[in-house]
Amino acid sequence: MPPTALTARALLLDMDGTLVNSDAVVERIWRRWAERHGLVGDEVMKVVHGRQGHASMAVLLPHRPVEQNLADNARMLAEETADVDGVVEIPGAGAFLRALRGLPHALVTSADVALSTARMAAAGLDLPGIRVTAESVGASKPDPEGFLKGAAELGVAPADCLVFEDSGAGIAAGRAAGMRVVGVGPRAWVHKPDVLVNDLTRVRPEQAEDGTIQVHIG
């Protein structure tokens, strides 16, 4: 895409697929789960990105009790937290986060505290000071609750926030929150975010004289 610049007062960042490439472990664990439940792995993988695990299970096994999904999700979170083999940064994520130091931004992830801490550490990335995790919300993406909480914690109006997301569920959540969305990576392309980037290598945030954040892309 041609070079462009976006203006915002705060950035809200998804983790998996946006800052961290965790596809290898997600594939391993969810395909094992699919096999245990007699589901087709490829179809399961179309659903799970961006959502909390129990929310994905509710879509895939709609008649299963919520309590069973929550218990299953707790077991899977423990598996995912212990398995960081192949977890690496999305290209450019480290430099992107360093450029955001001192600027209003937050992590908004469907992972819980333990999983987000483990994956960011495995990828060699610093955790933002403000984090909205699975424990912080009552509803998973594509519900906008997480992004709205991130904006509220930063004291910034939703319309002045810029979301970085890779998944359909996350992009839908950002839009539902009334925010503009930068889609990161191949999963984002089909969901038509406001701007698309392959990764974060050509995304450069900087503070403008009026205190806003100028995000240069390209």
Side-chain angles (χ1 to χ4, degrees), residues 82-141:
D83 183 358
V84 293
D85 186 25
V87 174
V88 296
E89 71 169 292
I90 294 293
F96 176 68
L97 287 170
R98 287 191 292 274
L100 283 176
R101 289 174 182 167
L103 301 179
H105 69 287
L107 187 73
V108 181
T109 176
S110 295
D112 64 5
V113 169
L115 181 57
S116 58
T117 301
R119 285 190 176 161
M120 291 288 281
L125 299 174
D126 293 332
L127 277 164
I130 295 177
R131 302 183 285 278
V132 179
T133 62
E135 296 94 337
S136 309
V137 298
S140 171
K141 299 172 186 176

Short mmCIF file of all heavy atoms in Angstrom, two decimals, residues 82-141:
data_model
loop_
_atom_site.label_atom_id
_atom_site.label_comp_id
_atom_site.label_asym_id
_atom_site.label_seq_id
_atom_site.Cartn_x
_atom_site.Cartn_y
_atom_site.Cartn_z
N ALA A 82 2.65 -23.30 29.13
CA ALA A 82 3.85 -24.13 29.28
C ALA A 82 4.57 -24.38 27.96
O ALA A 82 5.74 -24.75 27.95
CB ALA A 82 3.48 -25.47 29.92
N ASP A 83 3.89 -24.18 26.83
CA ASP A 83 4.44 -24.50 25.51
C ASP A 83 4.72 -23.21 24.75
O ASP A 83 3.81 -22.61 24.18
CB ASP A 83 3.45 -25.38 24.74
CG ASP A 83 3.97 -25.82 23.38
OD1 ASP A 83 5.10 -25.41 23.01
OD2 ASP A 83 3.27 -26.58 22.69
N VAL A 84 5.97 -22.78 24.74
CA VAL A 84 6.33 -21.57 24.00
C VAL A 84 7.30 -21.90 22.85
O VAL A 84 7.92 -21.00 22.29
CB VAL A 84 6.95 -20.50 24.93
CG1 VAL A 84 5.91 -19.97 25.89
CG2 VAL A 84 8.16 -21.03 25.66
N ASP A 85 7.40 -23.18 22.50
CA ASP A 85 8.27 -23.58 21.40
C ASP A 85 7.77 -22.97 20.09
O ASP A 85 6.62 -23.18 19.70
CB ASP A 85 8.28 -25.11 21.29
CG ASP A 85 9.29 -25.61 20.26
OD1 ASP A 85 10.27 -24.89 19.99
OD2 ASP A 85 9.09 -26.71 19.72
N GLY A 86 8.60 -22.20 19.45
CA GLY A 86 8.23 -21.57 18.19
C GLY A 86 7.59 -20.21 18.33
O GLY A 86 7.23 -19.59 17.32
N VAL A 87 7.42 -19.72 19.55
CA VAL A 87 6.84 -18.38 19.76
C VAL A 87 7.91 -17.33 19.50
O VAL A 87 8.95 -17.31 20.15
CB VAL A 87 6.28 -18.24 21.18
CG1 VAL A 87 5.81 -16.81 21.43
CG2 VAL A 87 5.12 -19.21 21.40
N VAL A 88 7.65 -16.45 18.54
CA VAL A 88 8.63 -15.41 18.16
C VAL A 88 7.88 -14.10 17.94
O VAL A 88 6.64 -14.08 17.86
CB VAL A 88 9.39 -15.78 16.87
CG1 VAL A 88 10.24 -17.03 17.08
CG2 VAL A 88 8.41 -16.00 15.70
N GLU A 89 8.61 -13.01 17.85
CA GLU A 89 7.97 -11.73 17.60
C GLU A 89 7.52 -11.63 16.15
O GLU A 89 8.14 -12.20 15.25
CB GLU A 89 8.89 -10.56 17.93
CG GLU A 89 10.04 -10.37 16.97
CD GLU A 89 10.78 -9.04 17.18
OE1 GLU A 89 10.19 -7.98 16.90
OE2 GLU A 89 11.94 -9.08 17.59
N ILE A 90 6.44 -10.91 15.91
CA ILE A 90 6.09 -10.49 14.56
C ILE A 90 7.18 -9.52 14.11
O ILE A 90 7.61 -8.65 14.89
CB ILE A 90 4.72 -9.79 14.57
CG1 ILE A 90 3.59 -10.78 14.93
CG2 ILE A 90 4.45 -9.12 13.22
CD1 ILE A 90 3.32 -11.87 13.92
N PRO A 91 7.70 -9.65 12.89
CA PRO A 91 8.77 -8.75 12.45
C PRO A 91 8.44 -7.28 12.71
O PRO A 91 7.36 -6.80 12.37
CB PRO A 91 8.88 -9.05 10.96
CG PRO A 91 8.47 -10.49 10.84
CD PRO A 91 7.37 -10.65 11.85
N GLY A 92 9.36 -6.60 13.36
CA GLY A 92 9.20 -5.19 13.66
C GLY A 92 8.54 -4.89 14.99
O GLY A 92 8.50 -3.73 15.41
N ALA A 93 8.04 -5.92 15.70
CA ALA A 93 7.29 -5.67 16.93
C ALA A 93 8.15 -5.04 18.02
O ALA A 93 7.70 -4.14 18.74
CB ALA A 93 6.66 -6.95 17.44
N GLY A 94 9.38 -5.50 18.17
CA GLY A 94 10.26 -4.96 19.20
C GLY A 94 10.52 -3.48 19.01
O GLY A 94 10.40 -2.68 19.96
N ALA A 95 10.88 -3.09 17.79
CA ALA A 95 11.15 -1.68 17.51
C ALA A 95 9.88 -0.84 17.66
O ALA A 95 9.92 0.29 18.15
CB ALA A 95 11.72 -1.54 16.10
N PHE A 96 8.77 -1.39 17.24
CA PHE A 96 7.47 -0.72 17.36
C PHE A 96 7.15 -0.42 18.82
O PHE A 96 6.79 0.71 19.18
CB PHE A 96 6.41 -1.61 16.73
CG PHE A 96 5.00 -1.10 16.83
CD1 PHE A 96 4.59 0.02 16.14
CD2 PHE A 96 4.06 -1.79 17.59
CE1 PHE A 96 3.26 0.47 16.23
CE2 PHE A 96 2.75 -1.35 17.68
CZ PHE A 96 2.36 -0.22 16.99
N LEU A 97 7.31 -1.41 19.69
CA LEU A 97 7.03 -1.21 21.12
C LEU A 97 8.01 -0.22 21.75
O LEU A 97 7.62 0.58 22.60
CB LEU A 97 7.06 -2.54 21.86
CG LEU A 97 5.88 -3.48 21.60
CD1 LEU A 97 6.14 -4.85 22.19
CD2 LEU A 97 4.59 -2.90 22.15
N ARG A 98 9.26 -0.28 21.35
CA ARG A 98 10.25 0.68 21.89
C ARG A 98 9.87 2.10 21.50
O ARG A 98 10.02 3.04 22.29
CB ARG A 98 11.65 0.33 21.41
CG ARG A 98 12.23 -0.91 22.08
CD ARG A 98 13.70 -1.07 21.79
NE ARG A 98 13.96 -1.38 20.39
CZ ARG A 98 13.96 -2.61 19.87
NH1 ARG A 98 13.67 -3.65 20.64
NH2 ARG A 98 14.21 -2.80 18.59
N ALA A 99 9.37 2.27 20.27
CA ALA A 99 8.97 3.61 19.82
C ALA A 99 7.75 4.13 20.58
O ALA A 99 7.52 5.34 20.65
CB ALA A 99 8.67 3.58 18.32
N LEU A 100 6.98 3.22 21.17
CA LEU A 100 5.78 3.61 21.91
C LEU A 100 6.05 3.96 23.37
O LEU A 100 5.13 4.38 24.08
CB LEU A 100 4.74 2.48 21.85
CG LEU A 100 3.97 2.35 20.54
CD1 LEU A 100 3.06 1.13 20.58
CD2 LEU A 100 3.16 3.61 20.25
N ARG A 101 7.28 3.76 23.85
CA ARG A 101 7.58 4.10 25.24
C ARG A 101 7.27 5.56 25.52
O ARG A 101 7.70 6.45 24.80
CB ARG A 101 9.05 3.80 25.55
CG ARG A 101 9.35 2.31 25.60
CD ARG A 101 10.83 2.06 25.77
NE ARG A 101 11.14 0.63 25.77
CZ ARG A 101 12.37 0.12 25.65
NH1 ARG A 101 13.41 0.95 25.53
NH2 ARG A 101 12.54 -1.18 25.65
N GLY A 102 6.49 5.79 26.57
CA GLY A 102 6.11 7.15 26.92
C GLY A 102 4.88 7.66 26.19
O GLY A 102 4.39 8.75 26.50
N LEU A 103 4.35 6.88 25.23
CA LEU A 103 3.15 7.26 24.51
C LEU A 103 1.97 6.41 25.01
O LEU A 103 2.17 5.26 25.43
CB LEU A 103 3.34 7.04 23.01
CG LEU A 103 4.48 7.81 22.35
CD1 LEU A 103 4.57 7.48 20.87
CD2 LEU A 103 4.30 9.32 22.55
N PRO A 104 0.76 6.92 24.97
CA PRO A 104 -0.39 6.16 25.47
C PRO A 104 -0.68 4.92 24.63
O PRO A 104 -1.00 5.02 23.44
CB PRO A 104 -1.55 7.16 25.38
CG PRO A 104 -0.91 8.51 25.28
CD PRO A 104 0.38 8.28 24.55
N HIS A 105 -0.54 3.76 25.24
CA HIS A 105 -0.85 2.51 24.54
C HIS A 105 -1.15 1.43 25.56
O HIS A 105 -0.78 1.54 26.73
CB HIS A 105 0.29 2.08 23.61
CG HIS A 105 1.54 1.65 24.31
ND1 HIS A 105 2.39 2.54 24.94
CD2 HIS A 105 2.09 0.41 24.50
CE1 HIS A 105 3.41 1.88 25.46
NE2 HIS A 105 3.25 0.59 25.22
N ALA A 106 -1.83 0.39 25.11
CA ALA A 106 -2.19 -0.72 26.00
C ALA A 106 -2.26 -2.01 25.20
O ALA A 106 -2.54 -2.00 23.99
CB ALA A 106 -3.54 -0.46 26.67
N LEU A 107 -2.01 -3.11 25.88
CA LEU A 107 -2.21 -4.44 25.32
C LEU A 107 -3.64 -4.86 25.61
O LEU A 107 -4.11 -4.76 26.73
CB LEU A 107 -1.24 -5.43 25.97
CG LEU A 107 -1.20 -6.84 25.38
CD1 LEU A 107 -0.50 -6.83 24.02
CD2 LEU A 107 -0.49 -7.80 26.33
N VAL A 108 -4.35 -5.31 24.58
CA VAL A 108 -5.72 -5.82 24.75
C VAL A 108 -5.76 -7.20 24.12
O VAL A 108 -5.81 -7.34 22.90
CB VAL A 108 -6.76 -4.89 24.10
CG1 VAL A 108 -8.17 -5.45 24.32
CG2 VAL A 108 -6.66 -3.47 24.64
N THR A 109 -5.71 -8.23 24.96
CA THR A 109 -5.53 -9.59 24.48
C THR A 109 -6.57 -10.54 25.06
O THR A 109 -7.06 -10.33 26.18
CB THR A 109 -4.12 -10.10 24.84
OG1 THR A 109 -3.99 -11.48 24.44
CG2 THR A 109 -3.83 -9.97 26.32
N SER A 110 -6.89 -11.57 24.29
CA SER A 110 -7.79 -12.62 24.78
C SER A 110 -7.06 -13.62 25.66
O SER A 110 -7.69 -14.49 26.25
CB SER A 110 -8.44 -13.35 23.59
OG SER A 110 -9.28 -12.47 22.88
N ALA A 111 -5.74 -13.52 25.74
CA ALA A 111 -4.96 -14.37 26.65
C ALA A 111 -5.12 -13.88 28.08
O ALA A 111 -5.44 -12.72 28.32
CB ALA A 111 -3.48 -14.35 26.25
N ASP A 112 -4.85 -14.79 29.03
CA ASP A 112 -4.87 -14.36 30.43
C ASP A 112 -3.49 -13.82 30.81
O ASP A 112 -2.58 -13.75 29.98
CB ASP A 112 -5.33 -15.49 31.35
CG ASP A 112 -4.40 -16.70 31.37
OD1 ASP A 112 -3.32 -16.67 30.75
OD2 ASP A 112 -4.77 -17.69 32.03
N VAL A 113 -3.34 -13.42 32.07
CA VAL A 113 -2.09 -12.80 32.51
C VAL A 113 -0.91 -13.74 32.33
O VAL A 113 0.14 -13.38 31.79
CB VAL A 113 -2.20 -12.34 33.98
CG1 VAL A 113 -0.84 -11.94 34.51
CG2 VAL A 113 -3.17 -11.18 34.11
N ALA A 114 -1.08 -15.00 32.76
CA ALA A 114 0.03 -15.95 32.69
C ALA A 114 0.45 -16.21 31.25
O ALA A 114 1.65 -16.22 30.93
CB ALA A 114 -0.37 -17.26 33.37
N LEU A 115 -0.52 -16.41 30.36
CA LEU A 115 -0.20 -16.72 28.97
C LEU A 115 0.42 -15.52 28.27
O LEU A 115 1.40 -15.65 27.53
CB LEU A 115 -1.45 -17.19 28.24
CG LEU A 115 -1.27 -17.58 26.76
CD1 LEU A 115 -0.24 -18.68 26.61
CD2 LEU A 115 -2.61 -18.01 26.16
N SER A 116 -0.15 -14.33 28.47
CA SER A 116 0.41 -13.15 27.81
C SER A 116 1.82 -12.87 28.30
O SER A 116 2.71 -12.50 27.51
CB SER A 116 -0.49 -11.93 28.02
OG SER A 116 -0.68 -11.66 29.39
N THR A 117 2.07 -13.06 29.59
CA THR A 117 3.41 -12.85 30.14
C THR A 117 4.40 -13.85 29.54
O THR A 117 5.51 -13.47 29.14
CB THR A 117 3.39 -12.98 31.67
OG1 THR A 117 2.47 -12.02 32.21
CG2 THR A 117 4.76 -12.74 32.27
N ALA A 118 3.99 -15.11 29.45
CA ALA A 118 4.88 -16.15 28.91
C ALA A 118 5.19 -15.91 27.45
O ALA A 118 6.35 -16.04 27.02
CB ALA A 118 4.24 -17.53 29.10
N ARG A 119 4.19 -15.57 26.66
CA ARG A 119 4.43 -15.40 25.22
C ARG A 119 5.21 -14.14 24.91
O ARG A 119 6.09 -14.17 24.03
CB ARG A 119 3.09 -15.42 24.47
CG ARG A 119 2.51 -16.82 24.37
CD ARG A 119 1.34 -16.90 23.44
NE ARG A 119 0.91 -18.29 23.31
CZ ARG A 119 -0.28 -18.66 22.87
NH1 ARG A 119 -1.16 -17.74 22.50
NH2 ARG A 119 -0.59 -19.94 22.77
N MET A 120 4.94 -13.05 25.58
CA MET A 120 5.72 -11.84 25.33
C MET A 120 7.17 -12.05 25.73
O MET A 120 8.10 -11.62 25.02
CB MET A 120 5.11 -10.67 26.08
CG MET A 120 3.75 -10.21 25.55
SD MET A 120 3.82 -9.36 23.95
CE MET A 120 4.36 -7.71 24.48
N ALA A 121 7.41 -12.75 26.83
CA ALA A 121 8.78 -13.04 27.26
C ALA A 121 9.48 -13.95 26.26
O ALA A 121 10.64 -13.74 25.91
CB ALA A 121 8.78 -13.68 28.64
N ALA A 122 8.77 -14.98 25.78
CA ALA A 122 9.37 -15.91 24.81
C ALA A 122 9.75 -15.20 23.53
O ALA A 122 10.75 -15.55 22.87
CB ALA A 122 8.40 -17.05 24.52
N ALA A 123 8.97 -14.19 23.16
CA ALA A 123 9.25 -13.43 21.94
C ALA A 123 10.26 -12.31 22.18
O ALA A 123 10.65 -11.62 21.23
CB ALA A 123 7.96 -12.84 21.39
N GLY A 124 10.69 -12.12 23.43
CA GLY A 124 11.66 -11.08 23.75
C GLY A 124 11.07 -9.68 23.71
O GLY A 124 11.79 -8.71 23.43
N LEU A 125 9.78 -9.56 24.03
CA LEU A 125 9.10 -8.27 23.96
C LEU A 125 8.72 -7.79 25.36
O LEU A 125 8.33 -8.59 26.20
CB LEU A 125 7.84 -8.38 23.11
CG LEU A 125 8.04 -8.80 21.65
CD1 LEU A 125 6.68 -9.00 20.97
CD2 LEU A 125 8.87 -7.77 20.89
N ASP A 126 8.81 -6.48 25.57
CA ASP A 126 8.39 -5.90 26.84
C ASP A 126 6.87 -5.77 26.88
O ASP A 126 6.24 -5.38 25.89
CB ASP A 126 9.01 -4.51 27.01
CG ASP A 126 10.52 -4.57 27.18
OD1 ASP A 126 11.01 -5.61 27.67
OD2 ASP A 126 11.18 -3.58 26.81
N LEU A 127 6.29 -6.08 28.03
CA LEU A 127 4.84 -5.92 28.20
C LEU A 127 4.50 -4.45 28.39
O LEU A 127 5.14 -3.76 29.19
CB LEU A 127 4.37 -6.70 29.42
CG LEU A 127 4.10 -8.19 29.22
CD1 LEU A 127 4.04 -8.89 30.57
CD2 LEU A 127 2.80 -8.40 28.45
N PRO A 128 3.50 -3.93 27.69
CA PRO A 128 3.04 -2.58 27.97
C PRO A 128 2.59 -2.45 29.43
O PRO A 128 2.15 -3.42 30.06
CB PRO A 128 1.85 -2.41 27.01
CG PRO A 128 2.16 -3.33 25.88
CD PRO A 128 2.81 -4.53 26.53
N GLY A 129 2.68 -1.26 29.96
CA GLY A 129 2.31 -1.04 31.35
C GLY A 129 0.84 -1.26 31.62
O GLY A 129 0.44 -1.70 32.69
N ILE A 130 0.01 -0.95 30.64
CA ILE A 130 -1.44 -1.15 30.77
C ILE A 130 -1.83 -2.36 29.94
O ILE A 130 -1.52 -2.44 28.74
CB ILE A 130 -2.22 0.10 30.33
CG1 ILE A 130 -1.90 1.25 31.30
CG2 ILE A 130 -3.72 -0.18 30.28
CD1 ILE A 130 -2.57 2.56 30.93
N ARG A 131 -2.51 -3.31 30.60
CA ARG A 131 -2.88 -4.56 29.92
C ARG A 131 -4.32 -4.91 30.26
O ARG A 131 -4.72 -4.90 31.42
CB ARG A 131 -1.96 -5.69 30.35
CG ARG A 131 -0.50 -5.41 30.08
CD ARG A 131 0.40 -6.58 30.44
NE ARG A 131 0.61 -6.73 31.86
CZ ARG A 131 1.50 -6.05 32.58
NH1 ARG A 131 2.26 -5.14 31.99
NH2 ARG A 131 1.65 -6.28 33.87
N VAL A 132 -5.09 -5.21 29.23
CA VAL A 132 -6.45 -5.73 29.39
C VAL A 132 -6.39 -7.18 28.93
O VAL A 132 -6.19 -7.46 27.76
CB VAL A 132 -7.47 -4.93 28.56
CG1 VAL A 132 -8.88 -5.52 28.73
CG2 VAL A 132 -7.45 -3.46 28.95
N THR A 133 -6.55 -8.10 29.88
CA THR A 133 -6.43 -9.53 29.60
C THR A 133 -7.77 -10.23 29.78
O THR A 133 -8.78 -9.59 30.09
CB THR A 133 -5.38 -10.17 30.53
OG1 THR A 133 -5.84 -10.03 31.89
CG2 THR A 133 -4.01 -9.49 30.38
N ALA A 134 -7.75 -11.54 29.62
CA ALA A 134 -9.00 -12.31 29.74
C ALA A 134 -9.67 -12.12 31.09
O ALA A 134 -10.91 -12.11 31.19
CB ALA A 134 -8.71 -13.80 29.50
N GLU A 135 -8.86 -11.93 32.14
CA GLU A 135 -9.43 -11.74 33.48
C GLU A 135 -10.15 -10.41 33.62
O GLU A 135 -10.94 -10.22 34.54
CB GLU A 135 -8.33 -11.80 34.55
CG GLU A 135 -7.63 -13.15 34.66
CD GLU A 135 -6.36 -13.20 33.83
OE1 GLU A 135 -6.24 -12.40 32.86
OE2 GLU A 135 -5.49 -14.01 34.14
N SER A 136 -9.86 -9.48 32.72
CA SER A 136 -10.37 -8.10 32.85
C SER A 136 -11.76 -7.91 32.28
O SER A 136 -12.38 -6.86 32.50
CB SER A 136 -9.42 -7.13 32.14
OG SER A 136 -8.08 -7.31 32.52
N VAL A 137 -12.24 -8.88 31.49
CA VAL A 137 -13.49 -8.67 30.75
C VAL A 137 -14.48 -9.79 31.02
O VAL A 137 -14.12 -10.90 31.40
CB VAL A 137 -13.22 -8.56 29.23
CG1 VAL A 137 -12.33 -7.37 28.93
CG2 VAL A 137 -12.60 -9.85 28.68
N GLY A 138 -15.74 -9.49 30.77
CA GLY A 138 -16.78 -10.50 30.90
C GLY A 138 -17.15 -11.12 29.57
O GLY A 138 -17.83 -12.14 29.53
N ALA A 139 -16.72 -10.49 28.46
CA ALA A 139 -17.07 -10.98 27.13
C ALA A 139 -15.83 -10.97 26.24
O ALA A 139 -15.05 -10.03 26.25
CB ALA A 139 -18.16 -10.11 26.52
N SER A 140 -15.66 -12.03 25.47
CA SER A 140 -14.52 -12.17 24.57
C SER A 140 -14.72 -11.38 23.29
O SER A 140 -15.86 -11.10 22.89
CB SER A 140 -14.33 -13.66 24.25
OG SER A 140 -13.37 -13.86 23.23
N LYS A 141 -13.62 -11.01 22.64
CA LYS A 141 -13.73 -10.53 21.26
C LYS A 141 -14.53 -11.59 20.48
O LYS A 141 -14.34 -12.78 20.72
CB LYS A 141 -12.35 -10.37 20.63
CG LYS A 141 -11.44 -9.37 21.33
CD LYS A 141 -10.02 -9.44 20.75
CE LYS A 141 -9.07 -8.55 21.53
NZ LYS A 141 -7.67 -8.67 21.04
#
